[in-house]
């Protein structure tokens, strides 16, 4: 099955409050996660909520990493979407879980843009 990309949705539980509530720390960890996966970082934006929580996105040449945190619950919702063969989204997810001090991670991968089902076999071979 040929797919244009891999998209991981990760539920990261039992994380450290101080990390999930620090916009600069979350930004640093997310950017580094992209690099750990072999991605090329283009730009990023993060926002700190009041009284707590952080949302942000790292745009990579291969797609994106996004996060929203609930520090009071020790929870982070993360998605990592990569296109092509050179970047492994699981490397980014594993790095994030480790850096956030996670106790539990539930994640699933979805193939995106399954070209076998939308293009004739000959056209897919030309990609």
């Amino acid at each position: 099955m040929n797919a244009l990309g891999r998209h991981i949705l990760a539920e990261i539980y039992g994380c450290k409050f101080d990390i999930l509530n620090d916009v600069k720390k979350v930004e640093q960890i997310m950017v580094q996660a992209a690099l750990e996966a072999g991605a090329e970082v283009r730009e990023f934006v993060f926002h700190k909520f009041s009284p707590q929580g952080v949302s942000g996105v790292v745009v990579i040449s291969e797609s994106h990493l996004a996060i929203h945190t609930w520090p009071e619950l020790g929870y982070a919702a993360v998605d990592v979407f990569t296109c092509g063969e050179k970047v492994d989204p699981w490397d980014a997810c594993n790095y994030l879980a480790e850096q956030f001090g996670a106790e539990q991670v539930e994640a699933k991968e979805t193939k995106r843009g399954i070209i076998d089902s939308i293009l004739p076999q000959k056209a897919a071979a030309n990609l």
Side-chain angles (χ1 to χ4, degrees):
M1 169 176 23
N2 291 319
L4 296 175
R6 300 165 65 191
H7 197 163
I8 296 176
L9 299 177
E11 309 288 321
I12 306 178
Y13 300 99
C15 302
K16 297 177 181 173
F17 177 94
D18 292 344
I19 295 173
L20 294 187
N21 203 42
D22 184 331
V23 68
K24 287 297 179 193
K25 183 67 98 173
V26 171
E27 177 182 295
Q28 175 188 35
I29 292 170
M30 289 286 289
V31 168
Q32 188 60 40
L35 297 173
E36 292 284 326
E40 182 179 334
V41 175
R42 292 296 182 172
E43 57 187 296
F44 47 87
V45 62
F46 286 81
H47 177 78
K48 171 77 167 74
F49 292 96
S50 181
Q52 64 240 351
V54 173
S55 280
V57 64
V58 178
V59 178
I60 57 177
S61 294
E62 302 80 7
S63 196
H64 71 272
L65 289 78
I67 189 168
H68 187 77
T69 73
W70 285 262
E72 71 278 17
L73 300 175
Y75 169 73
V78 171
D79 74 288
V80 180
F81 184 15
T82 63
C83 299
E85 298 295 320
K86 85 168 203 168
V87 179
D88 187 342
W90 288 105
D91 289 343
C93 285
N94 292 334
Y95 180 83
L96 292 170
E98 178 185 309
Q99 294 300 306
F100 294 153
E103 295 174 1
Q104 179 183 351
V105 178
E106 294 177 16
K108 62 182 176 180
E109 179 177 334
T110 300
K111 303 289 187 210
R112 303 294 304 268
I114 301 173
I115 57 175
D116 290 343
S117 65
I118 60 173
L119 298 175
Q121 198 70 4
K122 185 176 179 183
N126 292 329
L127 291 179

